[in-house]
Amino acid sequence: MRWLIGLLAAGACAALGGWAARCLSLRVDTLNAWEGALSRMEGMAQHLAMGLPDMLRRASGGQIPCLDILADRIVSDPTRAPEELLRDLPWEPWLSGEERETARDCLLGLFAPTADQQLRAIRFAGEQWQHFRRISREQWERNGRLYRSLGWLGGAALFILMC
């Protein structure tokens, strides 16, 4: 019976290590998706004359739900203030507070009256996003394998100690 408990504890440790590494990977994927969306927004703001809801949906590409939700809110109630439209957006859980603030500031900038102001907001967010992605990628490269290895090693140690 002790070996079964040891095996379960080992499996739990290995799973937690894998989960921690997966969280880092999902964070990198989310930041990549946002950077792609910002790049698409910049291109659309420069070259295409389209409404903000269409721009948000195209920029999202189905990968960033809060952009699609914001587009729906704009269509359903176009007279609401931008701050109200952005309130309570379901941000991706992998984004830090600073990243959410940068994205929020960029989205507020899209409501600016001139294309130049919109482009400045998008470009500023894009510059910030490159920094966020670099840090996240470094964390993933440095810690992803470490978390998996520690999970397996901790699980093996628990199994040995319990059996």
Side-chain angles (χ1 to χ4, degrees):
M1 183 66 163
R2 287 178 56 149
W3 67 271
L4 182 59
I5 293 171
L7 189 60
L8 288 173
C13 284
L16 283 173
W19 177 77
R22 178 71 180 139
C23 287
L24 288 176
S25 176
L26 289 171
R27 180 168 162 62
V28 168
D29 292 346
T30 299
L31 292 173
N32 287 341
W34 267 95
E35 186 174 53
L38 290 169
S39 177
R40 287 187 293 276
M41 276 189 237
E42 183 177 356
M44 287 183 273
Q46 281 179 326
H47 304 294
L48 299 174
M50 67 173 53
L52 185 54
D54 291 332
M55 178 192 292
L56 292 170
R57 284 190 185 101
R58 285 186 183 187
S60 167
Q63 295 180 326
I64 304 173
C66 69
L67 293 181
D68 294 322
I69 291 169
L70 179 58
D72 293 340
R73 287 180 181 181
I74 293 169
V75 169
S76 68
D77 193 359
T79 60
R80 281 177 64 189
E83 292 82 10
E84 289 181 34
L85 292 168
L86 292 171
R87 187 175 300 131
D88 301 325
L89 273 181
W91 298 101
E92 290 80 0
W94 313 113
L95 295 179
S96 71
E98 184 180 7
E99 293 158 355
R100 287 182 186 141
E101 237 358 84
T102 299
R104 185 180 181 286
D105 290 345
C106 175
L107 294 176
L108 275 174
L110 294 178
F111 290 93
T114 67
D116 186 48
Q117 291 172 318
Q118 292 172 347
L119 277 172
R120 271 189 275 152
I122 294 168
R123 287 179 179 150
F124 179 76
E127 290 170 9
Q128 294 294 320
W129 225 260
Q130 288 176 357
H131 171 73
F132 297 148
R133 276 190 59 231
R134 183 182 49 77
I135 290 171
S136 178
R137 197 171 40 248
E138 288 171 0
Q139 288 175 342
W140 178 75
E141 289 170 354
R142 184 176 52 245
N143 297 329
R145 191 175 313 156
L146 174 66
Y147 291 168
R148 276 191 295 276
S149 298
L150 287 175
W152 283 107
L153 289 172
L158 269 176
F159 181 76
I160 290 169
L161 289 173
M162 296 183 90
C163 292

